[in-house]
Amino acid sequence: MSSRRIVTGAHYGLRDWLAQRVTAVIMAVYTVIAAFVLISREPISYQAWRDLFSQGWVRVATLLFMASLAWHAWVGMRNILMDYVKPEGLRLSLQILVLLAVASYVGWTIQILWR
Amino acid sequence: MSEAALKTPARKARPKYMNLSALLFEIRMPVSARLSILHRVSGALMFAALVWLLWMLDRSLSSEAAFEKIKHYAGLWPVKLALLGLVWAYCHHFCAGIRHIFLDLEKGIEKETALLTSWISFAVSLLLTALLGWKLLW
């Protein structure tokens, strides 16, 4: 443990660096599939839209996408806050807000997909 | 020199070019730097817009009437314009991100190649934005 570690700093080591790339690849794959599905089926009716999201694999893949997005956005937003927000109290507050936001978005996505 | 001045050295002046107007209007950044800063800007933009997009997804799946309402809403020109901006942000982030992964793998790190792939990323993302905007929004 180095004494240079600070509470509002990055996680130290490989984990977040790797997570940023793994989540990016997951989202990229989902995006390509989603773009093809949307383009091939548009204009989309409510029926088709609802049927699409009632399929199990679409729900699971969408949740996986959202979870990846949450983690990816957290790492990215934290990097931005570390670069531009210097007062530690403010930075910590903003980081907590970002975490609360991405956690709520994942919860909301579950609610949207399984209702 | 006073005693206080000896104890607390004068604050170093910021380098001349570290201000926003210089960054925007005076310093000519290489295309890779522009790609990089826009990667960050597009990411922050999408994070800010996420709540709005989720709200639209929520409404669109809640009932047929709500779906039609959202469809109408998404057809209003200011909304279309905002969505087009987000499509661009997504495409830009996507292309710059793929380039970034190649750089991580030490592919294309020579100066000429890195500049060329920056131009390519810009071109592809703008092309994709036009294509997706035309296909999905217009």
Side-chain angles (χ1 to χ4, degrees), chain A residues 17 21 28 31 42 44 46 49 65 83-84 105 108-109 112 115, chain B residues 40 50-51 54-55 58 60-61 63-64 67 71 90 94 100 104 135:
Chain A
W17 182 90
R21 276 122 189 108
T31 302
E42 67 108 33
I44 288 174
Y46 172 66
W49 189 238
F65 173 85
D83 279 352
Y84 305 127
Y105 296 161
W108 192 8
T109 303
I112 292 171
R115 83 173 123 209
Chain B
R40 178 163 277 199
L50 192 53
V51 63
L54 269 173
W55 171 77
D58 185 344
S60 74
L61 283 168
S63 73
E64 181 150 21
F67 177 87
K71 207 168 182 177
Y90 203 101
F94 189 100
H100 200 118
D104 285 340
K135 268 290 187 187

PDB file of all heavy atoms in Angstrom, chain A residues 17 21 28 31 42 44 46 49 65 83-84 105 108-109 112 115, chain B residues 40 50-51 54-55 58 60-61 63-64 67 71 90 94 100 104 135:
ATOM      1  N   TRP A  17      -8.694  -0.301 -15.757  1.00  0.00           N
ATOM      2  CA  TRP A  17      -8.183  -0.159 -17.124  1.00  0.00           C
ATOM      3  C   TRP A  17      -8.749  -1.276 -17.989  1.00  0.00           C
ATOM      4  O   TRP A  17      -9.260  -1.063 -19.081  1.00  0.00           O
ATOM      5  CB  TRP A  17      -6.652  -0.211 -17.101  1.00  0.00           C
ATOM      6  CG  TRP A  17      -6.014  -0.017 -18.439  1.00  0.00           C
ATOM      7  CD1 TRP A  17      -5.634   1.168 -18.996  1.00  0.00           C
ATOM      8  CD2 TRP A  17      -5.687  -1.034 -19.391  1.00  0.00           C
ATOM      9  NE1 TRP A  17      -5.097   0.940 -20.239  1.00  0.00           N
ATOM     10  CE2 TRP A  17      -5.110  -0.393 -20.512  1.00  0.00           C
ATOM     11  CE3 TRP A  17      -5.825  -2.422 -19.404  1.00  0.00           C
ATOM     12  CZ2 TRP A  17      -4.672  -1.090 -21.632  1.00  0.00           C
ATOM     13  CZ3 TRP A  17      -5.377  -3.119 -20.524  1.00  0.00           C
ATOM     14  CH2 TRP A  17      -4.809  -2.449 -21.620  1.00  0.00           C
ATOM     15  N   ARG A  21     -12.056  -1.597 -21.088  1.00  0.00           N
ATOM     16  CA  ARG A  21     -11.946  -2.209 -22.416  1.00  0.00           C
ATOM     17  C   ARG A  21     -12.906  -3.376 -22.594  1.00  0.00           C
ATOM     18  O   ARG A  21     -13.515  -3.527 -23.654  1.00  0.00           O
ATOM     19  CB  ARG A  21     -10.502  -2.653 -22.656  1.00  0.00           C
ATOM     20  CG  ARG A  21      -9.664  -1.499 -23.155  1.00  0.00           C
ATOM     21  CD  ARG A  21      -8.474  -1.209 -22.263  1.00  0.00           C
ATOM     22  NE  ARG A  21      -7.797   0.019 -22.642  1.00  0.00           N
ATOM     23  CZ  ARG A  21      -7.840   1.133 -21.931  1.00  0.00           C
ATOM     24  NH1 ARG A  21      -8.543   1.193 -20.808  1.00  0.00           N
ATOM     25  NH2 ARG A  21      -7.197   2.204 -22.328  1.00  0.00           N
ATOM     26  N   ALA A  28     -19.967  -2.773 -27.731  1.00  0.00           N
ATOM     27  CA  ALA A  28     -19.786  -2.677 -29.190  1.00  0.00           C
ATOM     28  C   ALA A  28     -20.520  -3.813 -29.892  1.00  0.00           C
ATOM     29  O   ALA A  28     -21.212  -3.603 -30.890  1.00  0.00           O
ATOM     30  CB  ALA A  28     -18.296  -2.692 -29.536  1.00  0.00           C
ATOM     31  N   THR A  31     -24.190  -3.227 -29.737  1.00  0.00           N
ATOM     32  CA  THR A  31     -24.558  -2.105 -30.605  1.00  0.00           C
ATOM     33  C   THR A  31     -24.704  -2.535 -32.061  1.00  0.00           C
ATOM     34  O   THR A  31     -25.667  -2.153 -32.738  1.00  0.00           O
ATOM     35  CB  THR A  31     -23.493  -0.999 -30.519  1.00  0.00           C
ATOM     36  OG1 THR A  31     -23.384  -0.588 -29.171  1.00  0.00           O
ATOM     37  CG2 THR A  31     -23.857   0.190 -31.387  1.00  0.00           C
ATOM     38  N   GLU A  42     -37.339  -1.493 -39.158  1.00  0.00           N
ATOM     39  CA  GLU A  42     -38.038  -0.223 -39.088  1.00  0.00           C
ATOM     40  C   GLU A  42     -38.875   0.007 -40.351  1.00  0.00           C
ATOM     41  O   GLU A  42     -38.534  -0.536 -41.399  1.00  0.00           O
ATOM     42  CB  GLU A  42     -37.038   0.924 -38.828  1.00  0.00           C
ATOM     43  CG  GLU A  42     -36.071   1.210 -39.945  1.00  0.00           C
ATOM     44  CD  GLU A  42     -36.389   2.493 -40.657  1.00  0.00           C
ATOM     45  OE1 GLU A  42     -36.881   3.421 -40.022  1.00  0.00           O
ATOM     46  OE2 GLU A  42     -36.149   2.541 -41.871  1.00  0.00           O
ATOM     47  N   ILE A  44     -40.822   0.646 -36.830  1.00  0.00           N
ATOM     48  CA  ILE A  44     -41.215  -0.326 -35.828  1.00  0.00           C
ATOM     49  C   ILE A  44     -42.558   0.047 -35.188  1.00  0.00           C
ATOM     50  O   ILE A  44     -42.751   1.177 -34.751  1.00  0.00           O
ATOM     51  CB  ILE A  44     -40.102  -0.454 -34.760  1.00  0.00           C
ATOM     52  CG1 ILE A  44     -38.905  -1.198 -35.385  1.00  0.00           C
ATOM     53  CG2 ILE A  44     -40.588  -1.199 -33.546  1.00  0.00           C
ATOM     54  CD1 ILE A  44     -37.700  -1.272 -34.503  1.00  0.00           C
ATOM     55  N   TYR A  46     -45.598  -0.656 -32.242  1.00  0.00           N
ATOM     56  CA  TYR A  46     -45.548  -0.947 -30.806  1.00  0.00           C
ATOM     57  C   TYR A  46     -45.477  -2.441 -30.567  1.00  0.00           C
ATOM     58  O   TYR A  46     -44.698  -2.909 -29.736  1.00  0.00           O
ATOM     59  CB  TYR A  46     -46.780  -0.362 -30.107  1.00  0.00           C
ATOM     60  CG  TYR A  46     -46.880  -0.785 -28.652  1.00  0.00           C
ATOM     61  CD1 TYR A  46     -45.927  -0.356 -27.721  1.00  0.00           C
ATOM     62  CD2 TYR A  46     -47.892  -1.632 -28.214  1.00  0.00           C
ATOM     63  CE1 TYR A  46     -45.985  -0.752 -26.404  1.00  0.00           C
ATOM     64  CE2 TYR A  46     -47.959  -2.033 -26.891  1.00  0.00           C
ATOM     65  CZ  TYR A  46     -47.009  -1.596 -25.987  1.00  0.00           C
ATOM     66  OH  TYR A  46     -47.075  -1.994 -24.680  1.00  0.00           O
ATOM     67  N   TRP A  49     -42.026  -3.734 -31.289  1.00  0.00           N
ATOM     68  CA  TRP A  49     -41.140  -3.197 -30.250  1.00  0.00           C
ATOM     69  C   TRP A  49     -41.273  -3.989 -28.971  1.00  0.00           C
ATOM     70  O   TRP A  49     -40.292  -4.380 -28.342  1.00  0.00           O
ATOM     71  CB  TRP A  49     -41.495  -1.731 -30.049  1.00  0.00           C
ATOM     72  CG  TRP A  49     -40.590  -0.900 -29.179  1.00  0.00           C
ATOM     73  CD1 TRP A  49     -40.970  -0.225 -28.060  1.00  0.00           C
ATOM     74  CD2 TRP A  49     -39.196  -0.605 -29.376  1.00  0.00           C
ATOM     75  NE1 TRP A  49     -39.904   0.466 -27.541  1.00  0.00           N
ATOM     76  CE2 TRP A  49     -38.794   0.255 -28.323  1.00  0.00           C
ATOM     77  CE3 TRP A  49     -38.246  -0.988 -30.321  1.00  0.00           C
ATOM     78  CZ2 TRP A  49     -37.493   0.732 -28.194  1.00  0.00           C
ATOM     79  CZ3 TRP A  49     -36.946  -0.512 -30.188  1.00  0.00           C
ATOM     80  CH2 TRP A  49     -36.583   0.334 -29.144  1.00  0.00           C
ATOM     81  N   PHE A  65     -25.684  -5.058 -21.396  1.00  0.00           N
ATOM     82  CA  PHE A  65     -25.242  -3.802 -22.000  1.00  0.00           C
ATOM     83  C   PHE A  65     -25.282  -2.671 -20.974  1.00  0.00           C
ATOM     84  O   PHE A  65     -24.339  -1.904 -20.811  1.00  0.00           O
ATOM     85  CB  PHE A  65     -26.142  -3.463 -23.194  1.00  0.00           C
ATOM     86  CG  PHE A  65     -25.889  -2.098 -23.790  1.00  0.00           C
ATOM     87  CD1 PHE A  65     -24.894  -1.917 -24.731  1.00  0.00           C
ATOM     88  CD2 PHE A  65     -26.646  -0.999 -23.395  1.00  0.00           C
ATOM     89  CE1 PHE A  65     -24.662  -0.661 -25.278  1.00  0.00           C
ATOM     90  CE2 PHE A  65     -26.413   0.256 -23.930  1.00  0.00           C
ATOM     91  CZ  PHE A  65     -25.410   0.428 -24.873  1.00  0.00           C
ATOM     92  N   ASP A  83      -9.545  14.815 -13.341  1.00  0.00           N
ATOM     93  CA  ASP A  83      -8.759  15.782 -14.110  1.00  0.00           C
ATOM     94  C   ASP A  83      -9.168  17.229 -13.846  1.00  0.00           C
ATOM     95  O   ASP A  83      -8.322  18.120 -13.850  1.00  0.00           O
ATOM     96  CB  ASP A  83      -8.899  15.506 -15.615  1.00  0.00           C
ATOM     97  CG  ASP A  83      -7.975  14.383 -16.059  1.00  0.00           C
ATOM     98  OD1 ASP A  83      -7.154  13.946 -15.240  1.00  0.00           O
ATOM     99  OD2 ASP A  83      -8.084  13.953 -17.218  1.00  0.00           O
ATOM    100  N   TYR A  84     -10.469  17.465 -13.645  1.00  0.00           N
ATOM    101  CA  TYR A  84     -10.929  18.854 -13.630  1.00  0.00           C
ATOM    102  C   TYR A  84     -11.417  19.351 -12.272  1.00  0.00           C
ATOM    103  O   TYR A  84     -11.530  20.557 -12.069  1.00  0.00           O
ATOM    104  CB  TYR A  84     -12.046  19.064 -14.664  1.00  0.00           C
ATOM    105  CG  TYR A  84     -11.643  18.641 -16.065  1.00  0.00           C
ATOM    106  CD1 TYR A  84     -12.415  17.753 -16.800  1.00  0.00           C
ATOM    107  CD2 TYR A  84     -10.481  19.142 -16.643  1.00  0.00           C
ATOM    108  CE1 TYR A  84     -12.043  17.368 -18.075  1.00  0.00           C
ATOM    109  CE2 TYR A  84     -10.094  18.756 -17.913  1.00  0.00           C
ATOM    110  CZ  TYR A  84     -10.878  17.874 -18.630  1.00  0.00           C
ATOM    111  OH  TYR A  84     -10.505  17.486 -19.881  1.00  0.00           O
ATOM    112  N   TYR A 105     -29.682   3.700 -12.737  1.00  0.00           N
ATOM    113  CA  TYR A 105     -29.990   3.392 -14.140  1.00  0.00           C
ATOM    114  C   TYR A 105     -30.071   1.886 -14.360  1.00  0.00           C
ATOM    115  O   TYR A 105     -30.919   1.413 -15.115  1.00  0.00           O
ATOM    116  CB  TYR A 105     -28.945   4.007 -15.082  1.00  0.00           C
ATOM    117  CG  TYR A 105     -28.917   5.519 -15.067  1.00  0.00           C
ATOM    118  CD1 TYR A 105     -27.808   6.226 -15.528  1.00  0.00           C
ATOM    119  CD2 TYR A 105     -30.011   6.250 -14.595  1.00  0.00           C
ATOM    120  CE1 TYR A 105     -27.774   7.614 -15.515  1.00  0.00           C
ATOM    121  CE2 TYR A 105     -29.985   7.633 -14.573  1.00  0.00           C
ATOM    122  CZ  TYR A 105     -28.863   8.312 -15.038  1.00  0.00           C
ATOM    123  OH  TYR A 105     -28.826   9.687 -15.020  1.00  0.00           O
ATOM    124  N   TRP A 108     -33.343   0.802 -12.830  1.00  0.00           N
ATOM    125  CA  TRP A 108     -34.432   1.259 -13.704  1.00  0.00           C
ATOM    126  C   TRP A 108     -34.529   0.364 -14.941  1.00  0.00           C
ATOM    127  O   TRP A 108     -35.630  -0.009 -15.382  1.00  0.00           O
ATOM    128  CB  TRP A 108     -34.176   2.720 -14.089  1.00  0.00           C
ATOM    129  CG  TRP A 108     -35.316   3.412 -14.741  1.00  0.00           C
ATOM    130  CD1 TRP A 108     -36.602   2.942 -14.898  1.00  0.00           C
ATOM    131  CD2 TRP A 108     -35.299   4.719 -15.340  1.00  0.00           C
ATOM    132  NE1 TRP A 108     -37.369   3.873 -15.555  1.00  0.00           N
ATOM    133  CE2 TRP A 108     -36.597   4.961 -15.836  1.00  0.00           C
ATOM    134  CE3 TRP A 108     -34.310   5.698 -15.497  1.00  0.00           C
ATOM    135  CZ2 TRP A 108     -36.923   6.162 -16.484  1.00  0.00           C
ATOM    136  CZ3 TRP A 108     -34.644   6.880 -16.135  1.00  0.00           C
ATOM    137  CH2 TRP A 108     -35.933   7.113 -16.616  1.00  0.00           C
ATOM    138  N   THR A 109     -33.371  -0.001 -15.497  1.00  0.00           N
ATOM    139  CA  THR A 109     -33.366  -0.865 -16.688  1.00  0.00           C
ATOM    140  C   THR A 109     -34.014  -2.214 -16.383  1.00  0.00           C
ATOM    141  O   THR A 109     -34.804  -2.729 -17.183  1.00  0.00           O
ATOM    142  CB  THR A 109     -31.921  -1.073 -17.181  1.00  0.00           C
ATOM    143  OG1 THR A 109     -31.342   0.208 -17.434  1.00  0.00           O
ATOM    144  CG2 THR A 109     -31.887  -1.896 -18.458  1.00  0.00           C
ATOM    145  N   ILE A 112     -37.657  -1.671 -16.349  1.00  0.00           N
ATOM    146  CA  ILE A 112     -38.206  -1.486 -17.693  1.00  0.00           C
ATOM    147  C   ILE A 112     -38.317  -2.828 -18.421  1.00  0.00           C
ATOM    148  O   ILE A 112     -39.322  -3.112 -19.081  1.00  0.00           O
ATOM    149  CB  ILE A 112     -37.300  -0.528 -18.522  1.00  0.00           C
ATOM    150  CG1 ILE A 112     -37.367   0.893 -17.963  1.00  0.00           C
ATOM    151  CG2 ILE A 112     -37.707  -0.533 -19.994  1.00  0.00           C
ATOM    152  CD1 ILE A 112     -36.350   1.843 -18.574  1.00  0.00           C
ATOM    153  N   ARG A 115     -41.264  -6.077 -16.663  1.00  0.00           N
ATOM    154  CA  ARG A 115     -42.461  -5.595 -15.957  1.00  0.00           C
ATOM    155  C   ARG A 115     -43.697  -6.288 -16.474  1.00  0.00           C
ATOM    156  O   ARG A 115     -43.656  -6.941 -17.465  1.00  0.00           O
ATOM    157  CB  ARG A 115     -42.554  -4.075 -16.058  1.00  0.00           C
ATOM    158  CG  ARG A 115     -43.178  -3.574 -17.334  1.00  0.00           C
ATOM    159  CD  ARG A 115     -43.390  -2.085 -17.271  1.00  0.00           C
ATOM    160  NE  ARG A 115     -42.701  -1.459 -18.403  1.00  0.00           N
ATOM    161  CZ  ARG A 115     -42.211  -0.217 -18.376  1.00  0.00           C
ATOM    162  NH1 ARG A 115     -42.285   0.495 -17.299  1.00  0.00           N
ATOM    163  NH2 ARG A 115     -41.639   0.292 -19.441  1.00  0.00           N
TER     164      ARG A 115
ATOM    165  N   ARG B  40     -13.744  12.319 -25.043  1.00  0.00           N
ATOM    166  CA  ARG B  40     -14.138  12.655 -23.682  1.00  0.00           C
ATOM    167  C   ARG B  40     -15.449  13.441 -23.659  1.00  0.00           C
ATOM    168  O   ARG B  40     -16.356  13.150 -22.878  1.00  0.00           O
ATOM    169  CB  ARG B  40     -13.012  13.473 -23.041  1.00  0.00           C
ATOM    170  CG  ARG B  40     -13.294  13.941 -21.663  1.00  0.00           C
ATOM    171  CD  ARG B  40     -12.038  14.372 -20.954  1.00  0.00           C
ATOM    172  NE  ARG B  40     -11.351  13.232 -20.373  1.00  0.00           N
ATOM    173  CZ  ARG B  40     -10.438  13.329 -19.406  1.00  0.00           C
ATOM    174  NH1 ARG B  40     -10.099  14.495 -18.936  1.00  0.00           N
ATOM    175  NH2 ARG B  40      -9.872  12.249 -18.915  1.00  0.00           N
ATOM    176  N   LEU B  50     -28.221  10.077 -20.697  1.00  0.00           N
ATOM    177  CA  LEU B  50     -28.675   8.705 -20.449  1.00  0.00           C
ATOM    178  C   LEU B  50     -30.045   8.658 -19.785  1.00  0.00           C
ATOM    179  O   LEU B  50     -30.906   7.851 -20.156  1.00  0.00           O
ATOM    180  CB  LEU B  50     -27.622   7.993 -19.593  1.00  0.00           C
ATOM    181  CG  LEU B  50     -27.754   6.485 -19.462  1.00  0.00           C
ATOM    182  CD1 LEU B  50     -27.848   5.825 -20.819  1.00  0.00           C
ATOM    183  CD2 LEU B  50     -26.556   5.931 -18.704  1.00  0.00           C
ATOM    184  N   VAL B  51     -30.260   9.553 -18.840  1.00  0.00           N
ATOM    185  CA  VAL B  51     -31.528   9.544 -18.097  1.00  0.00           C
ATOM    186  C   VAL B  51     -32.696   9.839 -19.048  1.00  0.00           C
ATOM    187  O   VAL B  51     -33.771   9.252 -18.949  1.00  0.00           O
ATOM    188  CB  VAL B  51     -31.473  10.539 -16.910  1.00  0.00           C
ATOM    189  CG1 VAL B  51     -31.302  11.971 -17.379  1.00  0.00           C
ATOM    190  CG2 VAL B  51     -32.709  10.403 -16.035  1.00  0.00           C
ATOM    191  N   LEU B  54     -33.260   6.688 -21.255  1.00  0.00           N
ATOM    192  CA  LEU B  54     -33.920   5.638 -20.481  1.00  0.00           C
ATOM    193  C   LEU B  54     -35.394   5.970 -20.271  1.00  0.00           C
ATOM    194  O   LEU B  54     -36.253   5.100 -20.321  1.00  0.00           O
ATOM    195  CB  LEU B  54     -33.224   5.468 -19.124  1.00  0.00           C
ATOM    196  CG  LEU B  54     -32.102   4.436 -19.073  1.00  0.00           C
ATOM    197  CD1 LEU B  54     -31.405   4.489 -17.732  1.00  0.00           C
ATOM    198  CD2 LEU B  54     -32.656   3.028 -19.310  1.00  0.00           C
ATOM    199  N   TRP B  55     -35.666   7.242 -20.072  1.00  0.00           N
ATOM    200  CA  TRP B  55     -37.055   7.677 -19.909  1.00  0.00           C
ATOM    201  C   TRP B  55     -37.847   7.361 -21.184  1.00  0.00           C
ATOM    202  O   TRP B  55     -38.967   6.842 -21.117  1.00  0.00           O
ATOM    203  CB  TRP B  55     -37.102   9.185 -19.590  1.00  0.00           C
ATOM    204  CG  TRP B  55     -38.487   9.738 -19.614  1.00  0.00           C
ATOM    205  CD1 TRP B  55     -39.446   9.597 -18.651  1.00  0.00           C
ATOM    206  CD2 TRP B  55     -39.085  10.507 -20.669  1.00  0.00           C
ATOM    207  NE1 TRP B  55     -40.599  10.223 -19.041  1.00  0.00           N
ATOM    208  CE2 TRP B  55     -40.414  10.794 -20.264  1.00  0.00           C
ATOM    209  CE3 TRP B  55     -38.637  10.982 -21.910  1.00  0.00           C
ATOM    210  CZ2 TRP B  55     -41.295  11.532 -21.064  1.00  0.00           C
ATOM    211  CZ3 TRP B  55     -39.503  11.721 -22.700  1.00  0.00           C
ATOM    212  CH2 TRP B  55     -40.820  11.990 -22.278  1.00  0.00           C
ATOM    213  N   ASP B  58     -38.408   3.640 -21.380  1.00  0.00           N
ATOM    214  CA  ASP B  58     -39.422   3.297 -20.381  1.00  0.00           C
ATOM    215  C   ASP B  58     -40.827   3.581 -20.925  1.00  0.00           C
ATOM    216  O   ASP B  58     -41.688   2.708 -20.967  1.00  0.00           O
ATOM    217  CB  ASP B  58     -39.152   4.107 -19.105  1.00  0.00           C
ATOM    218  CG  ASP B  58     -40.084   3.718 -17.960  1.00  0.00           C
ATOM    219  OD1 ASP B  58     -41.115   3.062 -18.212  1.00  0.00           O
ATOM    220  OD2 ASP B  58     -39.789   4.090 -16.814  1.00  0.00           O
ATOM    221  N   SER B  60     -41.767   4.124 -24.040  1.00  0.00           N
ATOM    222  CA  SER B  60     -42.088   3.445 -25.294  1.00  0.00           C
ATOM    223  C   SER B  60     -42.518   1.993 -25.069  1.00  0.00           C
ATOM    224  O   SER B  60     -43.221   1.419 -25.894  1.00  0.00           O
ATOM    225  CB  SER B  60     -40.884   3.480 -26.240  1.00  0.00           C
ATOM    226  OG  SER B  60     -39.891   2.580 -25.793  1.00  0.00           O
ATOM    227  N   LEU B  61     -42.099   1.407 -23.945  1.00  0.00           N
ATOM    228  CA  LEU B  61     -42.462   0.012 -23.686  1.00  0.00           C
ATOM    229  C   LEU B  61     -43.628  -0.108 -22.707  1.00  0.00           C
ATOM    230  O   LEU B  61     -44.065  -1.201 -22.404  1.00  0.00           O
ATOM    231  CB  LEU B  61     -41.246  -0.755 -23.136  1.00  0.00           C
ATOM    232  CG  LEU B  61     -40.187  -1.155 -24.177  1.00  0.00           C
ATOM    233  CD1 LEU B  61     -38.921  -1.627 -23.498  1.00  0.00           C
ATOM    234  CD2 LEU B  61     -40.727  -2.219 -25.127  1.00  0.00           C
ATOM    235  N   SER B  63     -46.930   1.282 -22.852  1.00  0.00           N
ATOM    236  CA  SER B  63     -48.252   1.028 -23.438  1.00  0.00           C
ATOM    237  C   SER B  63     -48.253   1.536 -24.865  1.00  0.00           C
ATOM    238  O   SER B  63     -47.372   2.307 -25.259  1.00  0.00           O
ATOM    239  CB  SER B  63     -49.356   1.735 -22.637  1.00  0.00           C
ATOM    240  OG  SER B  63     -49.294   3.129 -22.880  1.00  0.00           O
ATOM    241  N   GLU B  64     -49.255   1.100 -25.624  1.00  0.00           N
ATOM    242  CA  GLU B  64     -49.314   1.517 -27.021  1.00  0.00           C
ATOM    243  C   GLU B  64     -49.494   3.035 -27.136  1.00  0.00           C
ATOM    244  O   GLU B  64     -48.845   3.683 -27.973  1.00  0.00           O
ATOM    245  CB  GLU B  64     -50.456   0.791 -27.744  1.00  0.00           C
ATOM    246  CG  GLU B  64     -50.531   1.176 -29.219  1.00  0.00           C
ATOM    247  CD  GLU B  64     -51.070   0.057 -30.096  1.00  0.00           C
ATOM    248  OE1 GLU B  64     -51.732  -0.838 -29.545  1.00  0.00           O
ATOM    249  OE2 GLU B  64     -50.829   0.085 -31.314  1.00  0.00           O
ATOM    250  N   PHE B  67     -46.291   4.688 -26.395  1.00  0.00           N
ATOM    251  CA  PHE B  67     -45.375   4.445 -27.515  1.00  0.00           C
ATOM    252  C   PHE B  67     -45.615   5.459 -28.631  1.00  0.00           C
ATOM    253  O   PHE B  67     -44.674   6.069 -29.161  1.00  0.00           O
ATOM    254  CB  PHE B  67     -45.575   3.018 -28.043  1.00  0.00           C
ATOM    255  CG  PHE B  67     -44.725   2.683 -29.243  1.00  0.00           C
ATOM    256  CD1 PHE B  67     -43.435   2.200 -29.084  1.00  0.00           C
ATOM    257  CD2 PHE B  67     -45.228   2.823 -30.542  1.00  0.00           C
ATOM    258  CE1 PHE B  67     -42.649   1.877 -30.192  1.00  0.00           C
ATOM    259  CE2 PHE B  67     -44.447   2.509 -31.650  1.00  0.00           C
ATOM    260  CZ  PHE B  67     -43.161   2.032 -31.472  1.00  0.00           C
ATOM    261  N   LYS B  71     -43.177   8.336 -30.042  1.00  0.00           N
ATOM    262  CA  LYS B  71     -42.864   8.359 -31.470  1.00  0.00           C
ATOM    263  C   LYS B  71     -43.094   9.774 -32.020  1.00  0.00           C
ATOM    264  O   LYS B  71     -42.282  10.290 -32.788  1.00  0.00           O
ATOM    265  CB  LYS B  71     -43.753   7.353 -32.206  1.00  0.00           C
ATOM    266  CG  LYS B  71     -43.118   6.822 -33.464  1.00  0.00           C
ATOM    267  CD  LYS B  71     -43.897   5.631 -34.002  1.00  0.00           C
ATOM    268  CE  LYS B  71     -43.204   5.086 -35.248  1.00  0.00           C
ATOM    269  NZ  LYS B  71     -43.886   3.892 -35.764  1.00  0.00           N
ATOM    270  N   TYR B  90     -22.292   8.847 -30.049  1.00  0.00           N
ATOM    271  CA  TYR B  90     -22.120   7.396 -29.941  1.00  0.00           C
ATOM    272  C   TYR B  90     -21.135   6.892 -30.993  1.00  0.00           C
ATOM    273  O   TYR B  90     -20.213   6.136 -30.685  1.00  0.00           O
ATOM    274  CB  TYR B  90     -23.475   6.685 -30.097  1.00  0.00           C
ATOM    275  CG  TYR B  90     -23.504   5.302 -29.485  1.00  0.00           C
ATOM    276  CD1 TYR B  90     -24.098   5.078 -28.245  1.00  0.00           C
ATOM    277  CD2 TYR B  90     -22.917   4.224 -30.131  1.00  0.00           C
ATOM    278  CE1 TYR B  90     -24.107   3.821 -27.667  1.00  0.00           C
ATOM    279  CE2 TYR B  90     -22.918   2.957 -29.561  1.00  0.00           C
ATOM    280  CZ  TYR B  90     -23.512   2.761 -28.330  1.00  0.00           C
ATOM    281  OH  TYR B  90     -23.504   1.513 -27.759  1.00  0.00           O
ATOM    282  N   PHE B  94     -17.504   5.375 -30.323  1.00  0.00           N
ATOM    283  CA  PHE B  94     -17.317   4.007 -30.804  1.00  0.00           C
ATOM    284  C   PHE B  94     -16.033   3.907 -31.650  1.00  0.00           C
ATOM    285  O   PHE B  94     -15.155   3.083 -31.386  1.00  0.00           O
ATOM    286  CB  PHE B  94     -18.550   3.633 -31.643  1.00  0.00           C
ATOM    287  CG  PHE B  94     -18.644   2.190 -32.040  1.00  0.00           C
ATOM    288  CD1 PHE B  94     -19.476   1.324 -31.332  1.00  0.00           C
ATOM    289  CD2 PHE B  94     -17.956   1.696 -33.131  1.00  0.00           C
ATOM    290  CE1 PHE B  94     -19.589  -0.006 -31.701  1.00  0.00           C
ATOM    291  CE2 PHE B  94     -18.061   0.364 -33.508  1.00  0.00           C
ATOM    292  CZ  PHE B  94     -18.877  -0.494 -32.793  1.00  0.00           C
ATOM    293  N   HIS B 100      -8.548   3.337 -30.020  1.00  0.00           N
ATOM    294  CA  HIS B 100      -7.830   3.327 -28.746  1.00  0.00           C
ATOM    295  C   HIS B 100      -7.397   1.905 -28.363  1.00  0.00           C
ATOM    296  O   HIS B 100      -6.277   1.688 -27.887  1.00  0.00           O
ATOM    297  CB  HIS B 100      -8.736   3.910 -27.652  1.00  0.00           C
ATOM    298  CG  HIS B 100      -7.986   4.388 -26.459  1.00  0.00           C
ATOM    299  ND1 HIS B 100      -7.991   5.697 -26.054  1.00  0.00           N
ATOM    300  CD2 HIS B 100      -7.193   3.729 -25.589  1.00  0.00           C
ATOM    301  CE1 HIS B 100      -7.217   5.818 -24.988  1.00  0.00           C
ATOM    302  NE2 HIS B 100      -6.739   4.646 -24.682  1.00  0.00           N
ATOM    303  N   ASP B 104      -3.744   0.428 -27.675  1.00  0.00           N
ATOM    304  CA  ASP B 104      -3.367  -0.355 -26.488  1.00  0.00           C
ATOM    305  C   ASP B 104      -2.601  -1.600 -26.872  1.00  0.00           C
ATOM    306  O   ASP B 104      -1.707  -2.057 -26.142  1.00  0.00           O
ATOM    307  CB  ASP B 104      -4.624  -0.784 -25.715  1.00  0.00           C
ATOM    308  CG  ASP B 104      -5.236   0.373 -24.955  1.00  0.00           C
ATOM    309  OD1 ASP B 104      -4.532   1.350 -24.715  1.00  0.00           O
ATOM    310  OD2 ASP B 104      -6.427   0.284 -24.600  1.00  0.00           O
ATOM    311  N   LYS B 135     -31.397   6.608 -41.596  1.00  0.00           N
ATOM    312  CA  LYS B 135     -32.162   5.371 -41.472  1.00  0.00           C
ATOM    313  C   LYS B 135     -33.155   5.400 -40.321  1.00  0.00           C
ATOM    314  O   LYS B 135     -34.283   4.951 -40.427  1.00  0.00           O
ATOM    315  CB  LYS B 135     -31.192   4.183 -41.264  1.00  0.00           C
ATOM    316  CG  LYS B 135     -30.774   3.492 -42.542  1.00  0.00           C
ATOM    317  CD  LYS B 135     -31.945   2.734 -43.114  1.00  0.00           C
ATOM    318  CE  LYS B 135     -31.567   1.865 -44.308  1.00  0.00           C
ATOM    319  NZ  LYS B 135     -32.772   1.284 -44.925  1.00  0.00           N
TER     320      LYS B 135
END
